[in-house]
C-alpha cells in the first residue's frame, strides 16, 4: 500500500500554504477543484490505483478497490452498485489497471438504465458480468413490484 513520506507530506502542506491542521482542513477542498477537470481527474484516478499497490504488484485486492472507488468516486454513477457487486461475487478477488480504468469509462459513458452498455463490445468481462448482475437485479425488483 502506498504512503507519503514525511518530506512529501510537508511539501504538499507548503504548496497548500497550510502550517496548521486547521489550515490544512481549510485547504483540502481546493484539491477537489484541482483534480476535478476530466484530464486531471483521469490522471488522479490512475494514480489512486497505483498508490494502493505494494511494490512489484500489478493488481489491487478487491476489498481495497472497493474502498478506493468509494473514496475517489464518492458520487460516481454505478459506484455503490459496482462495489456491492464486487463484494457479492466470488470470481474476482483482484482488479487490474485495465478493469479499474474501464470502470471509470463505463460510469461516464453508460446511461443510468445501462441501455447502451452493449454499445462497447470491448468492456472487460468483469464489467459485462456486472451489467448482467445489475440488469437481473433491476428486473427482479420490477417483477416484485407487481
Amino acid at each position: 500500500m502506498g504512503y507519503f513520506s514525511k518530506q512529501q507530506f510537508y511539501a504538499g502542506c507548503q504548496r497548500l500554504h497550510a502550517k496548521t491542521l486547521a489550515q490544512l482542513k481549510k485547504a483540502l477542498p481546493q484539491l477537489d477543484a484541482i483534480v476535478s477537470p476530466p484530464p486531471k481527474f483521469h490522471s488522479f484516478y490512475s494514480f489512486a490505483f497505483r498508490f494502493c499497490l505494494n511494490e512489484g504488484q500489478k493488481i489491487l485486492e478487491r476489498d481495497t478497490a472497493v474502498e478506493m472507488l468509494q473514496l475517489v468516486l464518492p458520487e460516481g454513477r454505478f459506484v455503490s452498485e459496482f462495489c456491492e457487486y464486487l463484494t457479492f461475487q466470488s470470481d474476482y478477488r483482484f482488479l487490474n489497471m485495465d478493469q479499474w480504468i474501464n470502470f471509470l469509462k463505463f460510469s461516464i459513458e453508460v446511461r443510468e438504465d445501462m441501455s447502451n452498455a452493449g454499445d462497447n463490445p470491448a468492456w472487460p468481462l468483469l464489467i459485462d458480468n456486472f451489467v448482467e448482475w445489475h440488469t437481473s437485479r433491476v428486473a427482479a425488483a420490477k417483477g416484485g413490484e407487481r
Side-chain angles (χ1 to χ4, degrees):
M1 176 73 68
Y3 67 93
F4 293 108
S5 70
K6 193 174 189 178
Q7 290 94 353
Q8 290 171 321
F9 179 77
Y10 286 144
C13 287
Q14 278 184 324
R15 282 191 216 117
L16 293 171
H17 305 290
K19 294 181 181 178
T20 67
L21 184 57
Q23 289 173 333
L24 180 59
K25 285 180 181 179
K26 187 176 179 184
L28 286 178
Q30 297 172 25
L31 294 177
D32 190 42
I34 293 169
V35 300
S36 288
K40 296 257 185 189
F41 185 77
H42 291 290
S43 178
F44 168 72
Y45 186 78
S46 296
F47 166 80
F49 180 88
R50 291 187 308 275
F51 183 77
C52 291
L53 298 175
N54 292 320
E55 192 171 331
Q57 193 177 24
K58 293 184 179 183
I59 53 177
L60 195 58
E61 291 184 21
R62 174 185 55 210
D63 295 342
T64 303
V66 166
E67 294 298 323
M68 284 305 291
L69 280 169
Q70 293 170 339
L71 281 173
V72 299
L73 290 172
E75 296 168 18
R77 202 157 28 139
F78 307 122
V79 171
S80 63
E81 295 93 339
F82 188 62
C83 289
E84 183 180 350
Y85 169 71
L86 288 174
T87 303
F88 164 79
Q89 59 78 41
S90 58
D91 293 331
Y92 299 94
R93 293 186 356 215
F94 301 94
L95 271 73
N96 61 40
M97 178 67 104
D98 183 55
Q99 293 164 327
W100 179 263
I101 295 298
N102 272 285
F103 176 73
L104 177 62
K105 186 177 177 183
F106 176 86
S107 70
I108 293 168
E109 293 179 7
V110 173
R111 291 185 200 108
E112 193 71 37
D113 65 358
M114 294 191 183
S115 60
N116 65 330
D119 292 354
N120 182 348
W123 295 125
L125 186 57
L126 171 67
I127 303 286
D128 288 339
N129 291 345
F130 165 63
V131 171
E132 187 177 306
W133 175 83
H134 184 269
T135 304
S136 67
R137 287 186 69 206
V138 169
K142 285 183 179 177
E145 292 175 1
R146 293 178 185 185

